[in-house]
Amino acid sequence: MFRVAFIGFGGIAHSNHINPQFELVKEGKTELVAVCDIRPNVFDEAIAINIGIGACELPESVKRYTDYKEMLAKEDIDIVIVCVPTFLHAEVAIYALETGHHVLCEKPMSLRYEDCVKMCEAAKAADKKLMIGQSVRFGNASKYIKKLIDEGTYGKPKSVLFQRKSAPPYWGWDNWYMDYSRSNGAIMDFHVHDIDFARCAFGEPDAVSCYTADVYSGKDIVHSRLIYDGFTVMCIGDWSREGLPFERYWQISLEKATIYHLGGELKVCPRGGEPINVELESNSTQKDELIYLMDWIEGKIENTYNPPEGSALTIKLVNTLQKSSDMNGEILPFTAE
């Protein structure tokens, strides 16, 4: 059984992580030891984010801290789940690794590729596991789509469109999402999901181009083009839609079929054939990513699906897109070296 603690216990922890953690506790796979946040009032209150309200009722046995260094020093913890704002990811994750803890850090890994490299180096030096919560990779629909692409079931990609849209995330601590210096806007915090899955499904692009619009924080509306040999992936991210709900849409055109994914609906439409409604069991991506990390720690698997070095390359790719947008959409080469 792994002893788990949270550093950062705001909206993302409440809405995405705590209920899967309770399930793992019931299954006897983890013990929730402690939570830490600089705001004591968040430990037992509901917090609304763009995908709903995350209610939380912590058992009395769970220790509460407002200083994460004190928590790590006092408690016997195996895995730390880092849910602090992005600009603090590298600092907090590196400290947790250096003090002998495995780390699951929320996405995006960090704001700068150079800091991501430091995080990977810290994990190796401490001989601890570091994984980034690129949760989209762990969705059953995502894994199904990737399998079709990897196996070439319907041929090679011809054209790909990923869209992710939301109202602005005003709910963050100290309104940090709306401060570009701390979040890097939608291009980093929101758009990163689809950029990462594009890398997961199709590998590294040869070149990129990006146009953005500033509405609130900077780069709030994003149109990115990932250029591959023979096809293009267009990714649209937008968190400027005041008053509108979260929406995600994927359309993947292959030689022999089109894959359509909107919300919980997944269809494969073969060319010249009848559409196939794909019924998949819903799953908790945060639960499955933590199980994957635990299996990696125990030596049951090698982390070939979501290694931290890959998450670092996702940030390198986003940094390249940021540079392109600053250059009015200029096409820039991308290299993973």
Side-chain angles (χ1 to χ4, degrees):
M1 180 184 296
F2 288 94
R3 294 171 60 82
V4 175
F6 283 82
I7 300 177
F9 204 63
I12 291 297
H14 278 223
S15 294
N16 291 356
H17 288 278
I18 194 62
N19 285 330
Q21 187 57 226
F22 289 156
E23 290 179 16
L24 289 169
V25 169
K26 288 181 180 178
E27 293 169 10
K29 295 178 180 177
T30 66
E31 177 186 353
L32 182 58
V33 175
V35 295
C36 179
D37 198 285
I38 61 173
R39 305 160 296 172
N41 62 298
V42 303
F43 294 140
D44 297 293
E45 69 178 23
I47 301 177
I49 68 170
N50 63 331
I51 57 174
I53 297 177
C56 181
E57 294 183 13
L58 287 174
E60 289 299 319
S61 60
V62 178
K63 304 288 184 61
R64 280 84 157 167
Y65 287 87
T66 55
D67 183 327
Y68 75 90
K69 292 182 180 179
E70 179 187 3
M71 180 185 73
L72 295 180
K74 288 185 175 180
E75 301 295 337
D76 179 14
I77 299 164
D78 301 308
I79 299 174
V80 175
I81 301 176
V82 175
C83 296
V84 297
T86 306
F87 71 98
L88 297 171
H89 281 182
E91 174 188 336
V92 173
I94 289 172
Y95 185 88
L97 290 163
E98 290 179 340
T99 51
H101 306 86
H102 303 290
V103 172
L104 175 66
C105 180
E106 253 295 344
K107 64 80 209 160
M109 189 172 185
S110 190
L111 299 178
R112 298 168 62 250
Y113 173 66
E114 294 79 7
D115 289 332
C116 298
V117 172
K118 292 177 182 177
M119 293 167 72
C120 293
E121 290 173 344
K124 289 180 180 178
D127 194 25
K128 294 296 176 180
K129 306 302 186 188
L130 166 66
M131 200 172 83
I132 308 306
Q134 294 292 171
S135 58
V136 169
R137 290 187 178 225
F138 290 88
N140 284 341
S142 300
K143 289 184 284 189
Y144 180 87
I145 291 169
K146 178 171 166 56
K147 186 173 186 290
L148 292 182
I149 293 167
D150 288 348
E151 295 179 354
T153 307
Y154 295 100
K156 296 179 181 179
K158 301 294 288 184
S159 179
V160 179
L161 172 63
F162 292 151
Q163 292 189 104
R164 182 173 301 266
K165 301 176 181 179
S166 173
Y170 292 132
W171 47 268
W173 160 80
D174 197 34
N175 205 25
W176 73 272
Y177 287 107
M178 297 292 97
D179 179 353
Y180 187 82
S181 68
R182 296 189 287 179
S183 71
N184 277 200
I187 192 171
M188 179 64 76
D189 189 84
F190 194 58
H191 199 53
V192 70
H193 278 300
D194 294 325
I195 297 301
D196 182 73
F197 188 70
R199 285 191 57 256
C200 178
F202 307 111
E204 312 300 348
D206 299 318
V208 302
S209 174
C210 182
Y211 292 90
T212 61
D214 299 347
V215 182
Y216 301 103
S217 62
K219 304 191 191 306
D220 304 280
I221 302 173
V222 190
H223 288 216
S224 293
R225 185 160 59 110
L226 310 183
I227 304 167
Y228 291 83
D229 182 16
F231 69 101
T232 295
V233 177
M234 175 62 74
C235 297
I236 299 173
D238 184 347
W239 71 12
S240 73
R241 307 194 318 158
E242 198 92 34
L244 293 173
F246 172 79
E247 177 184 304
R248 183 184 76 174
Y249 170 67
W250 290 357
Q251 180 174 299
I252 302 170
S253 297
L254 305 169
E255 290 175 314
K256 301 176 183 178
T258 299
I259 301 171
Y260 169 92
H261 183 31
L262 174 63
E265 184 180 11
L266 177 61
K267 287 186 177 182
V268 177
C269 304
R271 305 201 185 283
E274 292 296 319
I276 302 167
N277 292 312
V278 181
E279 300 292 338
L280 296 173
E281 184 178 348
S282 62
N283 70 308
S284 166
T285 57
Q286 282 77 23
K287 180 180 179 181
D288 286 357
E289 71 186 5
L290 185 54
I291 291 172
Y292 189 89
L293 173 60
M294 293 190 295
D295 286 347
W296 183 28
I297 293 169
E298 292 182 321
K300 296 178 181 178
I301 60 169
E302 289 294 325
N303 184 2
T304 58
Y305 189 61
N306 190 36
E309 294 82 5
S311 296
L313 286 175
T314 293
I315 301 305
K316 185 178 185 181
L317 182 52
V318 174
N319 287 163
T320 307
L321 291 167
Q322 290 170 298
K323 184 177 179 181
S324 173
S325 74
D326 291 339
M327 301 169 69
N328 198 32
E330 182 170 332
I331 296 175
L332 299 176
F334 180 72
T335 175
E337 297 177 357

